[in-house]
Amino acid sequence: MKKHNFYAGPSILPDFTVKNTAEAVINFAGTGLSILEISHRSKEFEAVINEAQSLFKEILSIPEGYHVLFLGGGASTQFAMVPFNLLNKKAAYLNTGVWAGKAMKEAQGFGEVVEVASSKASTYNYIPKGYSIPSDADYFHITTNNTIYGTEIREDLDINIPLVADMSSDIFSRPVDVSKYAIIYGGAQKNLAPAGLTFVVIREDILGKVERHIPTMFNYKTHIDGGSMFNTPPVLPIFAALQTLKWLKENGGVLGAQKRNIAKAGLLYQEIERNKLFKSTIPNVADRSLMNVCFVMNEEFMAHEKPFLDFVTAKGMVGLKGHRSVGGFRASLYNALPIESVEALVKAMQDFEKSIK
Ligand SMILES: *Cc1c(COP(=O)(O)O)cnc(C)c1O
């Protein structure tokens, strides 16, 4: 039976990506070698990384003056690398979840950290608004999609200081005005590639403003100058990322993805509203994520939580258990998830409701 893959990350990738990567593991680009055993300096791999960087720029419409870096270490390493390279005295952070909190904690080792607003007291179930950002901060850090709690900032903020965004779980899900950001980073394992790859989109003129010594591997300049080849980059995930980017381009780019994501999330949120068993954990409709849809059972039906999970599991749906800090359910609807999987989930919710007296 074909599985419906709702995992939050690592997560579903296009069949195109999985098939081409599997093929390259056996025979990469007709070399007679596996992608697993080829030099990252070979001309065949250089072609892969170059095309991946240029497609990344093309699909996101990245303007001049920006670089796309492919690094290791995950988004979690960026939590430190950002302040290491950018924080002189003070940085501002919007606390919208566990990942944002971790980013803040890392920054505290490099200077003063101002939390401009936080939704922590209500389990991060909304995106704070109306906060003010200190104009003397070196940058403002946001997490555009809060993977665990299911909230999302979809507008590109207009602010007067450099904007840094963790877009681990909504990169390529919609068009982004990259010119509004100094840095966009993320782990690739949510919407782009298998685990092991970290992407960083960086405006070069943001660098060179801190005095401290930055170790070579933590210095963005190293990777800009080295074309992400200062050391061995994650070869296989970069190959897979290229396949996802090709697939995305074929399927209407980020505008096409956005259209499909709105349709998929719309279908599921609508059923959550209609179905007497369930409710969304995010009261404000505008704050609801299109990527990670979090919902719980209404109080009076709480006893049916486990049976519902068993019910959908039996129908080939995986990854629907909510994060332990929220409970309930989380359906991750990344780019590669077909609408048929959402329809199957909605149908299961309706069938389960009918089975309850
Ligand atoms: C998954 C995730 C992370 C952590 O990424 P790693 O690559 O595992 O370090 C950080 N931020 C967000 C928003 C995430 O979804």
Side-chain angles (χ1 to χ4, degrees):
M1 177 169 60
K2 178 114 174 67
K3 297 282 181 185
H4 297 289
N5 183 353
F6 293 98
Y7 275 122
S11 34
I12 189 166
L13 290 168
D15 282 343
F16 181 83
T17 300
V18 175
K19 286 197 180 115
N20 288 357
T21 305
E23 221 170 83
V25 167
I26 305 300
N27 184 0
F28 165 54
T31 55
L33 295 171
S34 167
I35 183 86
L36 302 178
E37 52 186 12
I38 195 151
S39 168
H40 63 295
R41 308 266 176 215
S42 65
K43 69 175 187 324
E44 291 87 355
F45 182 70
E46 285 207 348
V48 168
I49 192 166
N50 290 340
E51 190 180 358
Q53 281 165 332
S54 72
L55 259 184
F56 200 114
K57 286 182 176 167
E58 180 186 329
I59 294 174
L60 268 191
S61 307
I62 298 179
E64 288 293 305
Y66 286 80
H67 297 271
V68 172
L69 310 179
F70 293 141
L71 311 177
S76 301
T77 298
Q78 294 307 307
F79 295 165
M81 218 161 141
V82 165
F84 220 145
N85 284 261
L86 263 48
L87 206 172
N88 253 320
K89 284 216 161 65
K90 189 194 281 188
Y93 280 71
L94 182 63
N95 188 1
T96 54
V98 160
W99 298 119
K102 286 185 174 171
M104 271 172 53
K105 186 158 176 281
E106 287 298 311
Q108 278 155 359
F110 297 92
E112 187 193 342
V113 170
V114 178
E115 180 186 78
V116 302
S118 170
S119 47
K120 187 173 182 179
S122 50
T123 327
Y124 298 113
N125 72 353
Y126 67 100
I127 300 286
K129 320 226 167 34
Y131 48 82
S132 60
I133 304 164
S135 59
D136 59 344
D138 297 312
Y139 61 87
F140 178 48
H141 180 282
I142 58 171
T143 310
T144 50
N145 186 67
N146 298 285
T147 323
I148 295 175
Y149 305 94
T151 60
E152 190 173 21
I153 303 170
R154 277 185 291 277
E155 62 168 324
D156 302 306
L157 304 182
D158 244 323
I159 60 168
N160 299 322
I161 62 172
L163 180 60
V164 175
D166 174 357
M167 289 197 191
S168 292
S169 51
D170 61 350
I171 190 78
F172 292 115
S173 68
R174 64 170 183 280
V176 166
D177 181 354
V178 175
S179 71
K180 298 254 171 78
Y181 300 82
I183 293 181
I184 294 170
Y185 69 83
Q189 69 274 18
K190 311 278 164 57
N191 218 3
L192 184 63
L197 172 64
T198 312
F199 61 84
V200 178
V201 179
I202 181 166
R203 203 175 67 217
E204 192 166 4
D205 69 11
I206 192 76
L207 297 175
K209 290 170 188 163
V210 295
E211 302 270 300
R212 71 174 65 87
H213 168 74
I214 305 171
T216 310
M217 277 298 286
F218 286 89
N219 196 330
Y220 287 122
K221 194 81 172 57
T222 302
H223 303 289
I224 290 173
D225 293 347
S228 297
M229 292 277 239
F230 171 78
N231 72 324
T232 318
V235 170
L236 180 84
I238 291 172
F239 178 87
L242 172 59
Q243 309 313 308
T244 304
L245 292 168
K246 285 181 173 175
W247 171 84
L248 188 54
K249 186 176 173 178
E250 277 298 301
N251 287 280
V254 281
L255 268 172
Q258 181 183 43
K259 220 172 129 203
R260 292 187 294 276
N261 292 332
I262 289 172
K264 286 186 289 180
L267 202 59
L268 184 51
Y269 280 121
Q270 195 185 345
E271 176 60 19
I272 293 167
E273 294 295 322
R274 189 211 60 78
N275 195 307
K276 70 171 189 282
L277 304 179
F278 305 99
K279 67 172 182 217
S280 165
T281 54
I282 311 301
N284 184 1
V285 173
D287 290 346
R288 290 178 184 169
S289 171
L290 300 184
M291 294 282 95
N292 312 97
V293 177
C294 295
F295 55 108
V296 291
M297 289 233 146
N298 275 313
E299 296 292 320
E300 66 265 43
F301 300 108
M302 224 35 137
H304 299 290
E305 189 172 300
K306 173 79 169 54
F308 176 70
L309 265 182
D310 293 342
F311 185 76
V312 290
T313 304
K315 293 180 180 303
M317 297 176 201
V318 297
L320 283 169
K321 195 169 165 41
H323 190 271
R324 60 189 180 280
S325 60
V326 183
F329 317 100
R330 171 174 55 175
S332 296
L333 316 181
Y334 297 119
N335 282 353
L337 186 87
I339 194 155
E340 289 74 20
S341 290
V342 182
E343 287 164 352
L345 174 57
V346 165
K347 172 83 167 47
M349 290 162 78
Q350 293 168 347
D351 289 348
F352 192 77
E353 182 190 29
K354 283 183 202 130
S355 77
I356 304 290
K357 292 294 156 297

